[in-house]
């Protein structure tokens, strides 16, 4: 489990069952195709998902500091000295820099506090917003997996494959960056 992290406008913390309504707000119609498998059909399903996430150290709720409203989530999957990371935010809060602020705080925690060696993220090549976020975070594009994964099917039931990009950053790259030197933590 992650300790709560505060930034100027956000609190990153573990999930709670009470996050169900906020989770349902953006998982009833996932925007990014990679989250289609997480689509929730009811508030009851959202409660079960929030409860499940509350038991996992991989899922991190991103909440507005002033109201406590959950506006999105991050994940960090531990693979030893490497973590797979990602984000999913309520589109109603898009364009305000929340995803960058939250991801930057998570990266700082993983790379400087917990001394993780490497972070990586998978992003579908058509997801321009997530690609820009990776680049703003100082991640480098490591590769393109052509027709790597399918999240949907066409009218005939045949899978529609998407190209997936991999981005990554090493701890030494983060520590050398201005993002780490200016640090988002407000302890």
């Amino acid at each position: 489990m992650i300790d709560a992290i505060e930034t100027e406008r956000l609190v990153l913390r573990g999930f709670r069952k009470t996050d169900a309504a906020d989770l349902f707000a953006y998982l009833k119609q996932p925007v990014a195709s990679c989250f289609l498998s997480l689509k929730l059909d009811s508030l009851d399903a959202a409660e079960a998902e929030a409860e499940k996430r509350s038991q996992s150290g991989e899922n991190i709720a991103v909440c507005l500091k002033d109201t406590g409203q959950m506006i999105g989530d991050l994940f960090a999957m531990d693979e030893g000295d490497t973590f797979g990371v990602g984000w999913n935010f309520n589109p109603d809060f898009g364009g305000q820099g929340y995803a960058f602020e939250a991801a930057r705080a998570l990266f700082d925690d993983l790379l400087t506090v917990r001394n993780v060696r490497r972070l990586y993220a998978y992003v579908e090549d058509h997801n321009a917003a997530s690609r820009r976020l990776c680049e703003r975070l100082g991640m480098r594009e490591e590769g393109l997996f052509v027709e790597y994964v399918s999240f949907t099917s066409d009218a005939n039931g045949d899978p529609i494959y998407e190209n997936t990009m991999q981005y990554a950053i090493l701890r030494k790259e983060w520590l050398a960056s201005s993002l780490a030197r200016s640090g988002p933590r407000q302890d």
Side-chain angles (χ1 to χ4, degrees):
M1 291 289 189
I2 190 167
D3 292 332
I5 299 171
E6 290 190 16
T7 68
E8 183 180 337
R9 303 179 295 165
L10 304 171
V11 175
L12 283 61
R13 59 161 173 77
F15 266 82
R16 300 174 184 152
K17 190 173 183 179
T18 56
D19 293 325
D22 293 335
L23 187 62
F24 185 60
Y26 62 94
L27 284 183
K28 65 184 173 190
Q29 284 190 302
V31 175
S33 57
C34 61
F35 295 114
L36 290 175
S37 66
L38 298 176
K39 184 176 192 261
L40 298 171
D41 295 322
S42 68
L43 190 53
D44 287 342
E47 287 175 2
E49 181 65 20
E51 177 70 24
K52 177 179 152 192
R53 290 179 182 211
S54 75
Q55 305 303 314
S56 167
E58 293 179 352
N59 299 106
I60 302 152
V62 178
C63 306
L64 295 175
K65 188 187 269 187
D66 59 348
T67 66
Q69 181 180 6
M70 192 189 75
I71 61 168
D73 64 88
L74 304 170
F75 62 84
M77 298 180 306
D78 187 347
E79 299 175 13
D81 67 351
T82 297
F83 274 69
V85 295
W87 38 82
N88 189 12
F89 280 79
N90 184 328
D92 292 345
F93 295 90
Q96 300 177 60
Y98 292 129
F100 176 74
E101 187 174 332
R104 179 179 172 201
L106 177 64
F107 279 33
D108 195 57
D109 182 73
L110 291 171
L111 295 166
T112 64
V113 176
R114 293 166 50 178
N115 292 317
V116 172
R117 184 184 67 84
R118 181 176 185 275
L119 303 179
Y120 71 90
Y122 290 128
V123 178
E124 282 62 55
D125 67 347
H126 58 82
N127 189 339
S130 279
R131 290 178 59 190
R132 279 191 307 273
L133 180 55
C134 287
E135 292 162 7
R136 284 190 65 204
L137 290 164
M139 299 180 94
R140 80 192 112 63
E141 183 182 325
E142 287 193 324
L144 172 67
F145 301 95
V146 177
E147 294 188 12
Y148 182 63
V149 66
S150 172
F151 302 108
T152 59
S153 299
D154 65 16
N156 296 323
D158 295 323
I160 299 172
Y161 288 97
E162 297 189 26
N163 297 335
T164 302
M165 303 179 82
Q166 180 170 307
Y167 286 85
I169 189 166
L170 298 171
R171 178 177 55 235
K172 63 184 176 185
E173 294 168 326
W174 179 259
L175 295 175
S177 75
S178 62
L179 291 171
R181 287 191 296 276
S182 60
R185 296 181 70 94
Q186 306 271 325
D187 296 329

